[in-house]
């Protein structure tokens, strides 16, 4: 059930939101579900017909027979009473059959919509996921999907049947009694709805205020207890207790007003309905006094109005729930309406990698228009070569990897692979041709085998085992009690940094891409682990076009060519020996890092 208080979102149109949802409720490719909807609605109609025409009229007939008929009509009266009970039972049976028939429809609609939202979220660009909190996004999806079932239930099985029942009751009142009873009933319903909406909106504001005060009181209590030592340092125990007591007192006052408002809502609703009940029955009593109606007619009017009041009693909750549901579903549809920043061009073709020759040609790029990151980068990475990219922090090294993966579109220039502009090929084929071993390896909370096999869908156990051997982690896995079935924990936290990196290497080996990116793959490791993994990385570079993005220069001395970036431009390039001889930025960085290593070794000694 949605929360009692409304969100701060603006009002969203009910019919516009529901119109977006109708294709999921009435799917074109699922005729069986459509049949279920039709059957469910027929059961709704049957339930209301039995409820309106069965039970009240059977009870009326029994009362009339008992009031005026001979006592030997006991069998007929008994049959009418049994019919009354049977009609009530029939209403319950029809309602529950309706729920059973419709349940699959609601669940399938929820499944389709949730799957579409999840699929769309994965199609959105990296910028969206970096700028939005994952918890907030998943909460929007969770609230939106949960609201679907509630919305459908209230709209289809509460509001619609109530409208049908009201129509049937008004028809009976007009045919058997008078137009005044019809007018009075309609007036009662309008006044009841208007009063309920007004009080519900008022209560929602009170509830929001109460929740805000509750949140503030809890937040203050937690903050005060977390800073226990500071409170002691400044002898502020009484001050903190007074502040907390003031916060709790304000909450208590707001809670009292909120709960009292519920009493006023219930009293007002009861006043309206019972006034109508009294007026309706009095009208029939006056008619009975003139000989126009029977005693059973009084019971008929009473029963019909009492049955009509029952769903109206839930109107406040229904109104509040539907309004909240519209907001929750609207927020989820907003996610669906979010456009992907990076899209495949029309008629994009799959990337065909023959050699793996990568070129950056006059590349300009900025995350924000005011601050350009790459300022005309020209790089030529021959097929099968290992090219390292180094430079100070903020020079744009990792941005090159994101651009090659086409997580962002360029603001100028182009990137080609074997002469094909990556902006003109499908993103799926581009990313299938590139493998990466990142600095911070994040693993799924699953088994070691699952994380390695994730590199390529359909990878066989033999291929996973071969990749583990290639990443020099097979021995470690075999030493585990459950082997490849060992779970790695949330984000792989049950493994050490070096073990996680080897799993990442094995995952990339399973993918077996022609182009490989090593993005600071060893910078977060200690020196001994870094040396071990560095040897493994150099082994898997063989036969692939490899781009090594590194901070520690000692890890790239073997590269065929080293590119030095500074402030978004290529400052120097050449082999390790050539760059040292130039005595430029690279030589300066090398000397500084060599000095840091010596100081670290002296400190350890």
């Amino acid at each position: 059930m949605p929360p009692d208080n409304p969100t701060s979102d603006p009002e969203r149109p009910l019919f516009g939101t529901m119109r977006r949802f109708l294709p999921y409720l009435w799917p074109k490719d699922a005729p069986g579900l459509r049949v279920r909807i039709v059957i469910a609605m027929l059961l709704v109609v049957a339930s209301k017909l039995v409820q309106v025409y069965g039970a009240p009229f059977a009870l009326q007939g029994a009362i009339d027979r008992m009031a005026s008929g001979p006592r030997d009509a006991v069998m007929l009266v008994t049959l009418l009473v049994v019919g009354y009970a049977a009609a009530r039972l029939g209403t319950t049976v029809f309602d529950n059959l309706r729920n059973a028939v419709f349940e699959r429809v609601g669940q399938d609609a929820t499944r389709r919509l949730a799957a579409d939202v999840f699929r769309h979220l994965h199609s959105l660009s990296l910028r969206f996921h970096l700028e939005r909190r994952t918890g907030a996004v998943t909460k929007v999806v969770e609230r939106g999907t949960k609201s679907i079932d509630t919305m459908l239930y209230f709209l289809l099985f509460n509001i619609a049947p109530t409208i049908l029942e009201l129509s049937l009751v008004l028809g009976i009142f007009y045919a058997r009694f008078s137009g005044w009873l019809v007018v009075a009933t309609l007036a009662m319903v309008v006044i009841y709805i208007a009063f309920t909406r007004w009080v519900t909106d008022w209560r929602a504001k009170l509830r929001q205020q109460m929740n805000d005060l509750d949140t503030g009181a809890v937040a203050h209590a937690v903050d005060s207890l977390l800073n226990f030592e500071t409170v002691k340092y400044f002898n502020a125990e009484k001050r903190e207790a007074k502040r907390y007591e003031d916060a709790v007192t304000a909450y208590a006052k707001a809670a009292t007003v909120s709960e009292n408002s519920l009493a006023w809502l219930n009293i007002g609703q009861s006043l309206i309905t019972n006034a109508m009940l009294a007026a309706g029955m009095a009208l029939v009593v006056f008619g009975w006094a003139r000989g126009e109606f029977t005693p059973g007619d009084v019971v008929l009017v009473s029963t019909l109005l009492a049955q009509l009041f029952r769903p109206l009693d839930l109107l406040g909750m229904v109104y509040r729930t539907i309004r909240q549901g519209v907001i929750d579903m609207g927020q989820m549809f907003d996610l669906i309406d979010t456009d992907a920043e990076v899209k495949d061009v029309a008629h994009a073709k799959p990337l065909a990698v023959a050699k793996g020759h990568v070129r950056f040609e006059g590349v300009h790029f900025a995350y924000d228009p005011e601050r350009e990151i790459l300022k005309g980068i020209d790089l030529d990475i021959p097929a099968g070569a290992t090219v390292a990219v180094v430079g100070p922090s903020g020079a744009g090294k990792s941005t090159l990897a994101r651009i090659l993966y086409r997580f962002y579109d360029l603001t100028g220039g182009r990137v080609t692979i074997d002469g094909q502009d990556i902006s003109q090929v499908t993103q799926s084929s581009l990313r299938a041709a590139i493998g990466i071993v990142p600095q911070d390896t994040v693993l799924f909370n699953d088994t070691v085998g699952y994380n390695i096999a994730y590199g390529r869908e359909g990878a066989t156990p033999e291929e996973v085992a071969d990749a583990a051997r290639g990443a020099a982690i097979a021995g470690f896995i075999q030493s585990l009690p459950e082997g490849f079935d060992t779970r790695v924990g949330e984000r792989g936290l049950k493994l050490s940094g070096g073990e996680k990196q080897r799993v990442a290497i094995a995952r990339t080996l399973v993918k077996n891409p022609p182009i490989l990116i090593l993005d600071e793959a060893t910078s977060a490791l200690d020196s001994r682990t870094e040396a071990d993994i560095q040897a493994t990385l150099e082994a898997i570079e063989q036969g692939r076009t490899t781009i090594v993005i590194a901070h520690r220069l000692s890890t790239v001395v073997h590269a065929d060519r080293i590119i030095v970036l500074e402030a978004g431009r290529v400052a120097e390039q050449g082999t390790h020996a050539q760059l040292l001889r130039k005595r430029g930025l690279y030589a300066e960085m090398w000397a500084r890092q060599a000095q840091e290593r010596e100081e670290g070794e002296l400190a350890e000694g």
Side-chain angles (χ1 to χ4, degrees):
M1 191 67 66
D4 196 37
N5 59 300
T7 67
S8 59
D9 280 43
E11 290 287 335
R12 295 176 182 267
L14 170 63
F15 294 107
T17 302
M18 293 307 299
R19 188 167 58 247
R20 290 286 304 273
F21 180 66
L22 281 178
Y24 297 95
L25 182 62
W26 191 258
K28 296 180 180 179
D29 58 344
L33 295 180
R34 291 185 171 189
V35 170
R36 283 177 173 269
I37 295 173
V38 173
I39 293 175
M41 298 314 296
L42 290 175
L43 288 169
V44 168
V45 174
S47 173
K48 286 304 173 185
L49 289 175
V50 171
Q51 183 177 348
V52 172
Y53 289 106
F57 281 96
L59 187 59
Q60 179 213 26
I63 296 297
D64 284 340
R65 286 289 179 179
M66 293 173 66
S68 60
R71 296 187 181 277
D72 58 1
V74 63
M75 183 57 67
L76 178 58
V77 173
T78 302
L79 290 175
L80 288 171
V81 172
V82 171
Y84 169 75
R88 289 174 60 89
L89 174 63
T91 300
T92 302
V93 170
F94 285 136
D95 286 345
N96 283 275
L97 286 176
R98 170 206 72 195
N99 291 341
V101 169
F102 190 79
E103 182 63 24
R104 183 176 173 185
V105 178
Q107 292 295 335
D108 188 81
T110 302
R111 174 190 64 82
R112 287 169 178 257
L113 182 54
D116 282 353
V117 175
F118 187 78
R119 192 179 300 112
H120 183 71
L121 286 174
H122 272 295
S123 74
L124 294 178
S125 307
L126 181 63
R127 191 190 303 272
F128 171 87
H129 292 282
L130 293 178
E131 293 178 352
R132 295 287 294 269
R133 290 181 296 177
T134 303
V137 172
T138 54
K139 197 66 178 177
V140 166
V141 177
E142 178 188 351
R143 285 198 304 258
T145 52
K146 282 185 176 180
S147 69
I148 293 170
D149 195 47
T150 307
M151 289 272 290
L152 289 177
Y153 180 83
F154 282 126
L155 288 172
L156 297 180
F157 303 144
N158 185 282
I159 293 180
T162 300
I163 294 174
L164 173 60
E165 182 177 358
L166 176 62
S167 302
L168 295 176
V169 169
L170 292 178
I172 294 172
F173 284 174
Y174 183 77
R176 293 182 62 92
F177 302 104
S178 69
W180 287 109
L181 188 56
V182 173
V183 172
T185 303
L186 279 174
M188 180 276 298
V189 171
V190 171
I191 294 172
Y192 188 97
I193 291 174
F195 173 77
T196 301
R197 177 172 181 177
W198 176 70
V199 176
T200 300
D201 288 340
W202 172 53
R203 290 196 69 240
K205 294 177 181 177
L206 293 176
R207 186 79 179 179
Q208 180 67 51
Q209 181 184 10
M210 183 186 75
N211 287 347
D212 290 343
L213 290 171
D214 182 38
T215 301
V218 173
H220 172 69
V222 172
D223 188 47
S224 180
L225 292 174
L226 288 176
N227 290 279
F228 173 79
E229 291 185 0
T230 304
V231 175
K232 288 292 185 183
Y233 289 152
F234 295 95
N235 196 29
E237 292 90 343
K238 292 182 179 179
R239 192 192 321 165
E240 289 297 313
K242 180 66 167 58
R243 286 184 61 193
Y244 180 69
E245 184 178 359
D246 290 343
V248 173
T249 301
Y251 167 75
K253 290 180 180 179
T256 301
V257 174
S258 177
E259 292 305 314
N260 289 344
S261 68
L262 179 60
W264 290 115
L265 174 63
N266 292 334
I267 291 173
Q269 289 177 331
S270 182
L271 176 63
I272 295 171
T273 56
N274 284 285
M276 177 59 213
L277 185 63
M281 294 177 68
L283 183 66
V284 178
V285 168
F286 285 130
W288 167 76
R290 295 192 300 268
E292 297 175 1
F293 306 129
T294 67
D297 287 332
V298 178
V299 176
L300 177 65
V301 170
S302 172
T303 304
L304 289 174
L305 287 176
Q307 289 180 167
L308 183 62
F309 295 159
R310 200 172 301 128
L312 289 179
D313 286 341
L314 300 175
L315 186 62
M317 182 189 68
V318 172
Y319 168 67
R320 188 170 59 245
T321 301
I322 289 178
R323 189 175 69 168
Q324 186 64 47
V326 168
I327 292 172
D328 292 339
M329 288 180 64
Q331 289 176 334
M332 187 167 60
F333 283 127
D334 287 345
L335 289 179
I336 294 179
D337 292 338
T338 303
D339 280 334
E341 180 183 350
V342 178
K343 299 180 180 178
D344 288 342
V345 297
H347 310 297
K349 297 180 179 180
L351 175 67
V353 181
K355 298 179 180 178
H357 183 190
V358 179
R359 286 182 58 88
F360 289 75
E361 302 175 3
V363 170
H364 288 261
F365 175 74
Y367 294 105
D368 299 311
E370 297 80 12
R371 189 168 68 93
E372 192 174 37
I373 302 298
L374 301 180
K375 307 169 183 177
I377 296 291
D378 288 300
L379 295 179
D380 189 353
I381 305 172
T386 296
V387 173
V389 180
V390 302
S393 298
K397 304 186 295 297
S398 294
T399 301
L400 291 177
R402 292 179 172 180
I403 286 175
L404 187 57
Y405 260 101
R406 206 182 164 212
F407 288 155
Y408 300 94
D409 279 330
L410 304 177
T411 54
R414 68 172 192 159
V415 178
T416 65
I417 297 177
D418 287 340
Q420 302 160 84
D421 190 334
I422 64 172
S423 66
Q424 305 301 309
V425 301
T426 62
Q427 297 176 65
S428 176
S429 64
L430 170 66
R431 291 164 189 164
I434 306 172
I436 187 168
V437 179
Q439 173 184 0
D440 183 17
T441 298
V442 177
L443 303 180
F444 291 98
N445 188 2
D446 210 298
T447 64
V448 175
Y450 174 85
N451 278 281
I452 295 176
Y454 197 81
R456 189 181 77 252
E457 186 176 7
T460 65
E462 292 76 17
E463 290 172 327
V464 170
D466 288 341
R469 285 190 288 271
I473 197 176
F476 165 74
I477 295 174
Q478 290 170 359
S479 69
L480 298 172
E482 297 181 66
F484 283 94
D485 293 327
T486 302
R487 300 192 73 88
V488 301
E490 191 76 25
R491 299 173 65 86
L493 294 179
K494 290 185 178 180
L495 303 181
S496 69
E499 290 159 358
K500 287 170 60 177
Q501 288 299 82
R502 291 191 186 277
V503 170
I505 295 169
R507 185 166 59 187
T508 302
L509 287 176
V510 167
K511 187 175 184 180
N512 194 25
I515 300 171
L516 178 64
I517 299 174
L518 305 177
D519 187 4
E520 304 273 12
T522 62
S523 63
L525 306 176
D526 59 83
S527 301
R528 181 174 179 179
T529 306
E530 179 186 31
D532 292 340
I533 290 184
Q534 187 62 39
T536 305
L537 292 174
E538 291 179 14
I540 70 170
E541 292 171 11
Q542 302 303 315
R544 310 173 197 274
T545 302
T546 305
I547 301 174
V548 183
I549 298 170
H551 173 70
R552 297 182 185 175
L553 304 185
S554 59
T555 62
V556 298
V557 294
H558 66 288
D560 299 317
R561 186 152 49 96
I562 300 173
I563 309 294
V564 184
L565 292 186
E566 184 179 25
R569 292 186 174 87
V570 177
E572 301 172 325
Q573 57 180 306
T575 64
H576 171 69
Q578 290 170 343
L579 290 173
L580 287 180
R581 286 196 295 270
K582 286 184 178 181
R583 299 184 180 277
L585 178 60
Y586 181 85
E588 178 185 335
M589 293 169 59
W590 177 266
R592 187 183 307 117
Q593 291 185 13
Q595 181 179 354
E596 291 172 355
R597 286 197 301 273
E598 291 177 2
E599 292 175 352
E601 291 172 358
L602 289 174
E604 292 176 1

